[in-house]
Amino acid sequence: MASSPDLNPSSAGGLPEDPASASRVGRVRLRRAAVMAVPATLVAAGLAVLTAEGALGVQFAISGMPFTVTATELNGTGFEQFGSLDNMAEDSPNQGDTGGQVLVVTSAIKNATLTKLCQSVDLGGTNLLITAGGGADKVQARDLTTDSTELSGDAAFNRIEIGNDASTLTKAGVQGPKGVFSQQADTVRIANLRQTNYATTAGVFKLPGLKLRFSGSGC
């Protein structure tokens, strides 16, 4: 999940940036992220298309190169989702006209299992491809977060709450910015999961049957 020239205090005649103005700009961007975070899941007959961004992801500078993640099935307990911003390293060659910021969906899951996980990143002419969990043992993750610009699949939630303030979330142990729209649920199941991600973090990530290789095609 870009900053406009008219919102950048330092772009007006080379004046130094005012901290109060920067704070106001940050609040405007978070409001935009909050709007992006309204879920289409419950109005799209089972198709999950959810938008928001990352609490844990923003602890490191993202590369700005998106990567694709797919799984035939994800099952999770302790699910949260809210909107925010990811930031690239200063003067990153990948920032384009974004100003080095990406609006993303942060999805946090306390415990997750994934079947037939595939992850790929386009390196220009070839793809770095990672697969795991294709056998009897599934991929397992604890304290998993993903920062996405797109997520789709067939989703089902148990005991879902929609419209929470992101700073009050409790299901996955992650809190987002105050005043930002969010949702949480006791459990989540997504079949035919597909994500476009900019960051992933996990406390524990177990990848049985891991294979890493270059490929002419991605996930």
Side-chain angles (χ1 to χ4, degrees):
M1 315 143 195
S3 62
S4 303
D6 60 331
L7 291 179
N8 188 345
S10 62
S11 65
L15 293 176
E17 182 173 325
D18 175 64
S21 297
S23 177
R24 288 193 295 273
V25 172
R27 288 196 294 271
V28 169
R29 288 170 177 159
L30 283 178
R31 290 193 193 101
R32 288 180 176 176
V35 172
M36 294 286 287
V38 177
T41 315
L42 299 183
V43 297
L47 180 66
V49 182
L50 306 160
T51 329
E53 186 235 276
L56 299 183
V58 297
Q59 290 184 356
F60 59 84
I62 63 170
S63 70
M65 296 178 65
F67 55 96
T68 299
V69 174
T70 65
T72 57
E73 185 175 66
L74 177 150
N75 286 280
T77 59
F79 172 80
E80 300 173 356
Q81 207 164 52
F82 55 90
S84 187
L85 292 167
D86 275 356
N87 294 277
M88 301 178 203
E90 187 175 357
D91 299 323
S92 169
N94 298 321
Q95 68 181 31
D97 60 358
T98 67
Q101 293 182 318
V102 182
L103 281 169
V104 291
V105 179
T106 290
S107 302
I109 303 177
K110 189 65 179 176
N111 293 286
T113 60
L114 299 100
T115 304
K116 294 184 178 179
L117 175 70
C118 178
Q119 176 180 301
S120 64
V121 58
D122 187 349
L123 301 177
T126 190
N127 293 269
L128 179 60
L129 187 70
I130 296 173
T131 56
D137 295 326
K138 310 306 180 188
V139 171
Q140 298 182 42
R142 187 172 72 236
D143 297 325
L144 174 69
T145 71
T146 57
D147 289 359
S148 313
T149 53
E150 185 175 352
L151 186 157
S152 64
D154 299 307
F157 300 94
N158 182 42
R159 295 178 61 87
I160 191 169
E161 302 170 3
I162 300 174
N164 311 63
D165 187 292
S167 68
T168 67
L169 296 174
T170 60
K171 302 294 186 179
V174 176
Q175 286 78 45
K178 185 174 290 186
V180 171
F181 181 96
S182 69
Q183 63 178 3
Q184 64 178 359
D186 283 356
T187 67
V188 59
R189 177 185 178 275
I190 304 177
N192 303 313
L193 171 69
R194 187 174 188 87
Q195 293 177 298
T196 300
N197 292 346
Y198 277 86
T200 297
T201 65
V204 174
F205 210 10
K206 296 182 179 180
L207 299 164
L210 172 67
K211 293 182 180 179
L212 185 153
R213 60 195 182 277
F214 292 103
S215 173
S217 59
C219 299

